[in-house]
Amino acid sequence: MPTLLLNKNTVKELLDMSEVIEAVEQAFRDWVEGRGRMPPKSYILLEKGDFRAMPAALPGAVGIKWVSVHPQNPSRGLPTVMATLVINDPDTGYPLAIMDGTDITAYRTGATAAVASRYLARKGSRSLGIIGAGRQAYTQIEAHVKLFDLREIRAFDLSKASVERLIKAFPGYPVEESSLEKAAGSDIVCTVTPARWPFVKREWIAPGVHINAIGADAPGKEELEPSVLNGAVVVVDDLEQSRTSGEINVPVSKGLFSMKEVYGTLGEIISGRKPGRRDDKAITVFDSTGVAIEDIAVAQVIYEKAKHRGGCPSMNLIE
Amino acid sequence: MPTLLLNKNTVKELLDMSEVIEAVEQAFRDWVEGRGRMPPKSYILLEKGDFRAMPAALPGAVGIKWVSVHPQNPSRGLPTVMATLVINDPDTGYPLAIMDGTDITAYRTGATAAVASRYLARKGSRSLGIIGAGRQAYTQIEAHVKLFDLREIRAFDLSKASVERLIKAFPGYPVEESSLEKAAGSDIVCTVTPARWPFVKREWIAPGVHINAIGADAPGKEELEPSVLNGAVVVVDDLEQSRTSGEINVPVSKGLFSMKEVYGTLGEIISGRKPGRRDDKAITVFDSTGVAIEDIAVAQVIYEKAKHRGGCPSMNLIE
C-alpha cells in the first residue's frame, strides 16, 4: 500500500478556499461535539527557531502537523514557517499521505477567520481592513471574498511594496492602499502582523465592527489596545492557547482582561451552543491562535482529492 | 533542496546495531547534561488503536516520531506498530528526511536495554533470558551479543512456533528453547511480552541478576511481581513515563512501590552522576518505556548514512 507524497506545488493545486472553509467549519463543530481529539501542541525551542507538534483526530481522519518557525530563514532564501503533515488511516495507523503543510497552514488560517466573520460580523459587511500585507493577508482576502460581498478591501502595511504586491495579486478585486486608521475603520478588520505592541487604537474601532486578531500567536505578542477587548464579544479558537499565546495573553497577564470576559469558543458558536452576533452595535473579536484540527481537516480533503485525481508520486514506506 | 525518503527496506539496510547502541547511549548523556529537548509524548486514543507524537532535539538533530499501535492489525496483514519519522535541520527547520520508523523503534529499544545491561548487569554475565519471543526479542538478542560474551540465550514464549522462529533467525548463536523459570534465572533477563499481570516470580530471580523490563509501556501493564522491585536497584528511562506507564506503574498505583525507591535514570548512570552496579549480589531492574531522544538519535545516524551513500529517493517537498 503506497503512501502518497504531495509536495508544495501539488498541495497548492489541490487547495480550494471554499472547500477549506467548509472543512474547518465542520472540524470545529466535530470537535466541540466530542467527535475530535486534540492534545495540546508541544513545543521545542532551539537557538534559531522553534518546532511545534500538532496532532489531531476527526471523524475518519487522524494525523499530525510538524511545523517550524525560523525568523532568520528569509535571509537564507527559505520561508520562515515550514510544515510537514502526515495523514494516517484511523483504523490501522497506516500513513496514507505525507504532504507539505505550508500552504495548508495559510489557507486554514484565512478560512477560520472567515468562518468567524460569518458568525460574528454584521450580515451586510461591505468593507474589509487588512492590517499587515504579508503572507497571511492573501488568504484572509481569499477567504473573506467567498463569504462577503466586499466593496472595499483596505490594506495597510509599513512596507508600501508589500501593499503593492498584495494589490497586484488580486486583480478584479477592490483592494486599495489605506491608512492604518482607515483600515481599522472597516466593517471587518483582520490584523495579521508580527507586532508585539497594541498598535490598533480603541478610538478607531466603530460600533458593529468585527476583528479577526490573527497575528498574536506567542506569549508577549498583541495587536489590539486592551480596551478594544473590554466590552467586546471575545471569541477564541482554544481557551488555553489563547490565554497563553493569543491576542488576549498580554492583557490577561497584566490583569487588563480576564478569562471570564471571554464569550466562548468558535466551536460553541458554530455548533449553535452559543449564539453569534445578536447586536448590530457590538464589537466582536475573534482571537485566532491556530489549532491542529484545522490542519488535519484540510489535509484530509487534500489527501482524498489527490487519491481520486491519481498520478501523484507515492512510495511504499512500510513495505 | 530535496527531502530524502527512506522506506523500511532502506532503513533496515542502514541500521547497524553497534552504531545504534552508541547513538542511544550518547543521546541519554546529552539529555541528562542539558543538551537535549524532549516534551512529553502526546497521545490520541481512537477506537481501534492509538497514536503517539514523540518530538525531540539533540545536538545537531531535531525531529519527531509519529507512531501508531493497532493490536488488530496482524489479522489484516499489517504490523501492530507503525511509525513515521521526520528529521529536520535544527537551524532552518527544513525537513531533511522522512523515513519509516518501525525498525528504528525495535533497534533503539534493544540497544537501550543493552546499554542498561552494560551499566547494571554483572561484568561476567554469560546467560541471557528472553521472555517473549515476538518482534522485540530479536533486537534484544542482537544488541546484547554486541556487549556480552553470551554462552546461553534462553528463550521462552507461550507460542512454541515463535521460539522456533527466533532460534532459526540466529544461527551460530546459542539460542535455545527454555522454561519460563529457567529463562528468568539467567544473568540478564529481558521481559518483552504484552502481559498485564506480574507473571515473573520473585523466587525465580537469583541475586546479582539484571532485568530489562521492556513490555510494560502503558497504564495497567506489568510483567514482574512487585516484590522483585522492592529492594532492587530500579533504574528508569524517564521518571514521569515510568510512573504512569512503565513496569512500575501498577505497583506505584497500588502503593506497593514508591517513586522514592527509584534509584535513578539511565541518563544519570551513563553520565556518571550516579554509579551503576556496585554489588555483585544486587538485583537491578531497568524499566524501559521508550523515549523520543532514542528515536531521533538513531534517525539522525540513518539520515547521515543515507546522505553519504547517495542514490536514495528524494523529493522537493517545499519547492
Side-chain angles (χ1 to χ4, degrees):
Chain A
M1 184 164 37
T3 301
L4 291 183
L5 302 168
L6 310 176
N7 70 7
K8 186 172 161 68
N9 284 339
T10 305
V11 171
K12 190 75 191 275
E13 274 168 41
L14 294 170
L15 277 165
D16 174 293
M17 187 53 92
S18 297
E19 292 173 351
V20 173
I21 289 170
E22 299 317 312
V24 299
E25 184 166 346
Q26 184 60 38
F28 277 100
R29 190 177 291 119
D30 285 331
W31 185 35
V32 80
E33 293 176 355
R35 295 183 297 272
R37 298 283 176 274
M38 184 164 60
K41 286 185 197 180
S42 46
Y43 289 81
I44 290 186
L45 309 179
L46 300 180
E47 207 183 319
K48 296 198 176 155
D50 65 63
F51 291 80
R52 298 158 198 196
M54 300 172 66
L58 289 166
V62 60
I64 190 166
K65 182 168 82 166
W66 174 236
V67 55
S68 57
V69 181
H70 285 70
Q72 296 160 41
N73 270 4
S75 67
R76 306 173 70 158
L78 285 171
T80 300
V81 176
M82 290 190 271
T84 305
L85 264 154
V86 183
I87 288 290
N88 304 70
D89 182 339
D91 288 341
T92 66
Y94 198 90
L96 300 171
I98 296 169
M99 63 186 85
D100 178 58
T102 317
D103 288 308
I104 289 173
T105 303
Y107 269 66
R108 61 78 150 153
T109 304
T112 303
V115 169
S117 298
R118 174 185 266 170
Y119 289 92
L120 295 169
R122 275 173 296 146
K123 289 289 161 254
S125 293
R126 290 287 175 269
S127 59
L128 176 70
I130 297 289
I131 298 177
R135 191 188 199 86
Q136 296 289 340
Y138 293 74
T139 46
Q140 291 295 326
I141 296 176
E142 248 183 275
H144 278 88
V145 297
K146 297 287 182 195
L147 301 185
F148 293 89
D149 180 16
L150 297 173
R151 306 293 160 83
E152 280 182 76
I153 301 174
R154 303 163 183 164
F156 168 79
D157 197 290
L158 295 173
S159 152
K160 212 176 162 67
S162 293
V163 173
E164 281 165 8
R165 265 197 303 275
L166 184 67
I167 292 171
K168 274 199 192 124
F170 289 94
Y173 286 93
V175 189
E176 61 196 41
E177 189 174 356
S178 161
S179 68
L180 173 56
E181 187 172 344
K182 195 176 170 206
S186 307
D187 297 336
I188 301 171
V189 179
C190 300
T191 59
V192 278
T193 77
R196 293 187 163 271
W197 75 99
F199 66 92
V200 176
K201 293 197 188 307
R202 173 68 186 84
E203 66 196 63
W204 299 339
I205 308 296
V209 165
H210 171 65
I211 305 172
N212 290 309
I214 312 293
D217 64 346
K221 290 172 84 172
E222 57 180 329
E223 298 179 293
L224 311 178
E225 278 191 349
S227 57
V228 175
L229 302 172
N230 301 127
V233 176
V234 176
V235 172
V236 302
D237 52 8
D238 181 77
L239 283 165
E240 181 56 19
Q241 273 186 201
S242 292
R243 187 181 66 77
T244 57
S245 58
E247 178 61 36
I248 63 175
N249 89 82
V250 177
V252 165
S253 70
K254 288 182 176 164
L256 299 173
F257 183 79
S258 134
M259 289 306 289
K260 287 183 202 146
E261 294 177 71
V262 173
Y263 173 70
T265 66
L266 184 58
E268 289 172 324
I269 289 168
I270 290 173
S271 69
R273 297 186 175 203
K274 288 183 180 170
R277 173 179 289 270
R278 285 176 294 183
D279 171 359
D280 267 1
K281 299 277 181 232
I283 292 171
T284 53
V285 177
F286 172 54
D287 181 358
S288 163
T289 61
V291 289
I293 49 164
E294 301 166 29
D295 299 297
I296 299 311
V298 178
Q300 183 72 10
V301 170
I302 298 299
Y303 162 66
E304 293 291 347
K305 288 176 80 173
K307 191 173 66 173
H308 289 116
R309 187 177 80 166
C312 292
S314 67
M315 78 181 301
N316 286 313
L317 197 64
I318 304 287
E319 285 114 315
Chain B
M1 183 163 40
T3 301
L4 291 183
L5 302 168
L6 310 176
N7 70 7
K8 187 171 160 71
N9 284 339
T10 305
V11 171
K12 190 77 191 274
E13 273 169 42
L14 294 170
L15 277 166
D16 174 291
M17 186 53 93
S18 297
E19 292 173 351
V20 172
I21 289 171
E22 298 317 312
V24 298
E25 184 166 345
Q26 184 61 38
F28 276 99
R29 191 178 290 120
D30 284 331
W31 184 36
V32 80
E33 293 176 354
R35 294 184 298 271
R37 299 282 175 276
M38 185 163 59
K41 286 185 198 180
S42 45
Y43 289 81
I44 291 185
L45 309 180
L46 299 180
E47 207 183 320
K48 296 197 176 155
D50 66 62
F51 291 81
R52 299 158 197 198
M54 300 173 66
L58 289 165
V62 60
I64 191 165
K65 182 168 82 167
W66 174 236
V67 56
S68 58
V69 181
H70 285 70
Q72 296 160 41
N73 270 3
S75 68
R76 306 173 69 156
L78 284 171
T80 300
V81 177
M82 290 190 271
T84 304
L85 264 154
V86 184
I87 288 291
N88 303 71
D89 182 338
D91 289 340
T92 67
Y94 198 90
L96 300 170
I98 296 168
M99 62 185 86
D100 177 59
T102 317
D103 288 308
I104 290 173
T105 303
Y107 268 65
R108 61 78 151 154
T109 304
T112 303
V115 169
S117 297
R118 174 186 266 170
Y119 289 92
L120 295 170
R122 276 172 297 144
K123 289 288 162 253
S125 294
R126 292 284 174 271
S127 58
L128 176 69
I130 298 289
I131 298 176
R135 190 186 199 88
Q136 295 289 339
Y138 293 74
T139 46
Q140 290 294 327
I141 296 175
E142 247 183 274
H144 278 89
V145 298
K146 297 287 183 194
L147 301 185
F148 293 89
D149 181 16
L150 297 173
R151 306 291 159 83
E152 280 182 76
I153 301 174
R154 303 163 183 164
F156 168 80
D157 197 287
L158 294 173
S159 153
K160 212 176 161 71
S162 294
V163 173
E164 279 164 10
R165 266 197 303 276
L166 185 68
I167 290 170
K168 272 198 192 129
F170 288 94
Y173 286 93
V175 189
E176 62 197 40
E177 190 174 357
S178 161
S179 68
L180 172 57
E181 186 170 345
K182 193 173 171 210
S186 307
D187 296 335
I188 300 171
V189 179
C190 300
T191 58
V192 279
T193 76
R196 294 187 162 271
W197 74 99
F199 65 92
V200 176
K201 294 197 185 304
R202 172 70 185 85
E203 66 197 64
W204 299 337
I205 308 297
V209 164
H210 171 63
I211 305 172
N212 290 310
I214 311 295
D217 64 345
K221 289 173 83 172
E222 57 179 330
E223 298 178 292
L224 311 178
E225 278 192 349
S227 57
V228 176
L229 302 171
N230 302 127
V233 175
V234 176
V235 172
V236 302
D237 52 8
D238 182 76
L239 283 166
E240 183 55 19
Q241 272 186 203
S242 292
R243 186 180 68 75
T244 58
S245 57
E247 178 60 38
I248 63 175
N249 89 81
V250 178
V252 165
S253 71
K254 289 183 177 164
L256 299 173
F257 183 79
S258 133
M259 289 306 288
K260 287 183 200 145
E261 294 177 72
V262 172
Y263 173 70
T265 66
L266 184 58
E268 289 173 323
I269 288 167
I270 290 172
S271 69
R273 297 185 174 203
K274 288 183 181 169
R277 173 179 289 271
R278 283 177 296 183
D279 171 1
D280 267 3
K281 299 276 181 235
I283 292 171
T284 54
V285 176
F286 173 54
D287 180 359
S288 165
T289 61
V291 288
I293 50 164
E294 302 166 28
D295 299 297
I296 300 310
V298 177
Q300 183 72 9
V301 169
I302 298 300
Y303 163 67
E304 294 290 348
K305 287 175 81 172
K307 191 172 67 173
H308 289 114
R309 188 178 79 165
C312 292
S314 67
M315 79 180 301
N316 285 313
L317 196 65
I318 303 288
E319 285 114 317

